[in-house]
């Protein structure tokens, strides 16, 4: 005789959230699963799924997994019960979003144009190895250095946008092919670990701009962002205090040029020996290309090292201004446990879709569409923009799109505003202690 179904309330489920280290549950399509012991085995990393402990994972589960039936097999035997029928309330935004998702799939917008991705990879490879050829032929001369730096910076940035496609499994219907292409781009062309990128970037997509959950909000060693973080840092006596009210001035000279050649390089390589073997081999191949070729061209290691460092700085400046413009000016908050659509719209904004903006940002100027449909091939994001705008208009959700320069300026405005909040909170603390 089959066991009676155990029905659970949201109040009970939330008691098994992330902070409960003894027991962690998630809800998928009204079924409650215990992921306590399995989280460490989660292919996307334990942090990603634990961010949703005590919550409904139905929408991110659908968004991140191309084969949901296969992924559900990992949850077999972990069922705890089901959500109380009286509490099974699907928000109207999610009902309409699911209809939109079905419509988008029927229109074929989740299908990649593989010629597009092949040509994109090809032009990156031509630029990258063309830069090497310039250096080998002309050596350590001003014009050669500037020319090679220019074309290789473009190649590195565009490779960064392309590896993003492969990491999101959007270039092929085969997960294996996407992973292989990811290795041929992130570690092989750029010298960074694909596994590290996946682990961090998927957390960002799962909980964008959520303090303690989105890795991109962990900036308080140099910056405070949003409205909550400045106050908390100011009132935390154990936290170092910088002149955050000046952060909009020192931002341009710190994070953009130094993120890639210092912090990201360290973060990417510190777990090198824990990465998949394909990731490690491809990364080693990058260094076996870059340094022997540049050392031959320059006649020594230190010139080669300096060129590599400046190349990473150039790439970092480009990347940081683009990446931060989509999120820093938006709402940065504690986890509100709200629906997928509302969460993504509150944390993302677009940059207007001119041809230059689209090329310059690797189609990530359509950030709203990308966050709602992270597996959608980038060449289709602009096609669904009118549909997403209609969804937002119907549900009173703000759809923000701005020019490229305005988006960059908004980063500084946001930092200035957050710095002022920190200064006011810190001054109040000092007055109370006097």
């Amino acid at each position: 005789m089959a066991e009676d179904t155990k029905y659970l309330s949201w109040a009970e489920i939330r008691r098994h959230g992330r902070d409960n280290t003894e027991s962690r549950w998630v809800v998928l399509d009204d079924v409650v699963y215990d992921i306590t012991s399995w989280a460490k085995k989660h292919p996307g990393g334990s942090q990603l799924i634990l961010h949703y402990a005590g919550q409904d994972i139905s929408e991110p589960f659908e968004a991140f997994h191309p084969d949901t039936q296969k992924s559900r097999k990992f949850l077999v035997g972990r069922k705890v019960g089901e959500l109380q029928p009286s509490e099974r309330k699907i928000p109207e935004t999610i009902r309409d979003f699911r209809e939109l998702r079905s419509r988008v799939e029927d229109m074929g917008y989740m299908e990649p144009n593989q010629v597009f991705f092949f040509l994109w990879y090809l032009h990156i490879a031509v630029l990258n190895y063309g830069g090497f050829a310039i250096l080998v032929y002309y050596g350590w001369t001003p014009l050669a250095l500037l020319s090679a730096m220019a074309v290789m910076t473009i190649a590195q940035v565009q490779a960064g946008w392309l590896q993003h496609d492969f990491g999101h499994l959007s270039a092929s219907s085969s997960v294996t092919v996407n992973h292989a292409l990811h290795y041929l781009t992130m570690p092989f062309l750029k010298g960074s670990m694909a596994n590290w990128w996946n682990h961090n970037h998927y957390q960002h997509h799962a909980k964008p701009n959520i303090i303690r959950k989105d890795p991109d909000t962990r900036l308080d060693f140099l910056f405070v962002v949003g409205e909550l973080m400045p106050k908390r840092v100011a009132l935390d006596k154990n936290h170092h205090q910088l002149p955050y009210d000046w952060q909009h001035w020192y931002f341009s000279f710190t994070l953009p040029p130094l993120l890639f050649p210092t912090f990201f390089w360290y973060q990417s390589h510190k777990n090198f020996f824990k990465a998949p073997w394909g990731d490690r081999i491809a990364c080693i191949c990058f260094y076996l290309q870059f340094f022997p070729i540049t050392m031959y061209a320059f006649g020594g290691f230190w010139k080669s090292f300096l060129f590599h460092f400046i190349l990473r700085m150039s790439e970092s400046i480009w990347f940081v201004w683009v990446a931060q413009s989509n999120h820093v000016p938006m709402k940065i908050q504690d986890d509100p446990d709200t629906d997928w659509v509302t969460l993504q719209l509150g944390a993302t904004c677009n940059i207007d879709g001119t041809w230059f903006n689209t090329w310059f940002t690797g189609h990530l100027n359509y950030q709203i569409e990308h966050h709602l449909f992270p597996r959608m091939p980038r060449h289709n994001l602009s096609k669904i923009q009118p549909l997403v705008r209609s969804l937002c208009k119907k549900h009173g959700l703000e759809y923000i799109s701005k020019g490229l320069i305005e988006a960059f300026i908004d980063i500084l405005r946001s930092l200035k505003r957050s710095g002022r909040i920190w200064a006011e909170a810190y001054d109040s603390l000092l007055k109370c202690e006097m």
Side-chain angles (χ1 to χ4, degrees), residues 155-212:
Q156 287 296 306
V157 171
Q158 293 298 333
W161 305 143
L162 187 61
Q163 69 82 26
H164 176 270
D165 299 317
F166 300 146
H168 276 294
L169 311 178
S170 64
S172 171
S173 57
S174 167
V175 172
T176 302
V177 170
N178 278 299
H179 286 326
L181 291 172
H182 203 192
Y183 290 158
L184 285 173
T185 310
M186 188 61 163
F188 185 78
L189 288 181
K190 296 179 61 60
S192 293
M193 308 303 291
N195 189 61
W196 162 79
W197 182 89
N198 278 334
H199 176 72
N200 284 277
H201 192 68
Y202 272 80
Q203 290 182 69
H204 161 70
H205 268 271
K207 292 292 184 180
N209 281 11
I210 299 302
I211 298 170
R212 294 177 59 216

Side-chain angles (χ1 to χ4, degrees), residues 105-224:
E105 289 171 352
D106 291 342
M107 296 170 78
Y109 289 155
M110 297 301 292
E111 299 300 319
N113 180 340
Q114 293 175 345
V115 173
F116 170 90
F117 288 107
F118 170 76
L119 292 176
W120 211 263
Y121 191 97
L122 181 63
H123 103 277
I124 290 168
V126 169
L127 287 172
N128 190 58
Y129 291 107
F132 282 131
I134 291 171
L135 294 176
V136 169
Y137 191 78
Y138 293 103
W140 187 268
T141 60
L143 184 59
L145 289 172
L146 289 174
S147 300
M149 184 65 68
V151 297
M152 292 179 79
T153 296
I154 293 172
Q156 287 296 306
V157 171
Q158 293 298 333
W161 305 143
L162 187 61
Q163 69 82 26
H164 176 270
D165 299 317
F166 300 146
H168 276 294
L169 311 178
S170 64
S172 171
S173 57
S174 167
V175 172
T176 302
V177 170
N178 278 299
H179 286 326
L181 291 172
H182 203 192
Y183 290 158
L184 285 173
T185 310
M186 188 61 163
F188 185 78
L189 288 181
K190 296 179 61 60
S192 293
M193 308 303 291
N195 189 61
W196 162 79
W197 182 89
N198 278 334
H199 176 72
N200 284 277
H201 192 68
Y202 272 80
Q203 290 182 69
H204 161 70
H205 268 271
K207 292 292 184 180
N209 281 11
I210 299 302
I211 298 170
R212 294 177 59 216
K213 294 188 175 182
D214 181 356
D216 292 355
T217 64
R218 297 168 192 164
L219 300 170
D220 53 311
F221 60 96
L222 273 180
F223 305 97
V224 288

Side-chain angles (χ1 to χ4, degrees), residues 121-345:
Y121 191 97
L122 181 63
H123 103 277
I124 290 168
V126 169
L127 287 172
N128 190 58
Y129 291 107
F132 282 131
I134 291 171
L135 294 176
V136 169
Y137 191 78
Y138 293 103
W140 187 268
T141 60
L143 184 59
L145 289 172
L146 289 174
S147 300
M149 184 65 68
V151 297
M152 292 179 79
T153 296
I154 293 172
Q156 287 296 306
V157 171
Q158 293 298 333
W161 305 143
L162 187 61
Q163 69 82 26
H164 176 270
D165 299 317
F166 300 146
H168 276 294
L169 311 178
S170 64
S172 171
S173 57
S174 167
V175 172
T176 302
V177 170
N178 278 299
H179 286 326
L181 291 172
H182 203 192
Y183 290 158
L184 285 173
T185 310
M186 188 61 163
F188 185 78
L189 288 181
K190 296 179 61 60
S192 293
M193 308 303 291
N195 189 61
W196 162 79
W197 182 89
N198 278 334
H199 176 72
N200 284 277
H201 192 68
Y202 272 80
Q203 290 182 69
H204 161 70
H205 268 271
K207 292 292 184 180
N209 281 11
I210 299 302
I211 298 170
R212 294 177 59 216
K213 294 188 175 182
D214 181 356
D216 292 355
T217 64
R218 297 168 192 164
L219 300 170
D220 53 311
F221 60 96
L222 273 180
F223 305 97
V224 288
V225 291
E227 297 181 3
L228 289 177
M229 187 188 296
K231 296 176 184 177
R232 289 176 179 169
V233 168
L235 299 176
D236 184 355
K237 295 181 180 180
N238 295 318
H239 196 289
H240 67 269
Q241 302 296 334
L242 294 176
Y244 294 113
D245 48 339
W246 287 83
Q247 64 181 3
H248 58 293
W249 291 110
Y250 65 72
F251 169 82
S252 302
F253 308 103
T254 52
L255 193 67
L258 296 177
L259 182 65
F260 275 28
T262 58
F263 184 72
F264 267 18
W265 188 92
Y266 168 73
Q267 290 291 323
S268 172
H269 290 79
K270 71 176 183 178
N271 292 317
F272 177 86
F273 292 103
K274 295 181 181 179
W277 64 268
D279 208 359
R280 283 178 278 168
I281 290 174
C283 189
I284 291 170
C285 287
F286 167 81
Y287 290 105
L288 290 177
Q289 296 175 78
F290 189 92
F291 283 102
I293 293 174
T294 53
M295 287 171 66
Y296 171 80
F298 300 149
F301 172 75
W302 290 110
K303 288 182 178 179
S304 178
F305 176 83
L306 180 61
F307 184 83
H308 179 263
F309 192 88
I310 296 174
L311 177 61
R312 285 286 167 257
M313 286 180 66
S314 303
E315 175 194 5
S316 186
I317 291 168
W318 187 334
F319 170 84
V320 170
W321 281 102
V322 171
Q324 299 304 314
S325 67
N326 294 131
H327 298 291
V328 166
M330 304 302 289
K331 187 182 294 183
I332 298 171
Q333 59 187 331
D334 290 330
D335 194 345
D337 190 13
T338 190
D339 69 82
W340 176 257
V341 177
T342 303
L343 176 66
Q344 303 299 334
L345 264 294

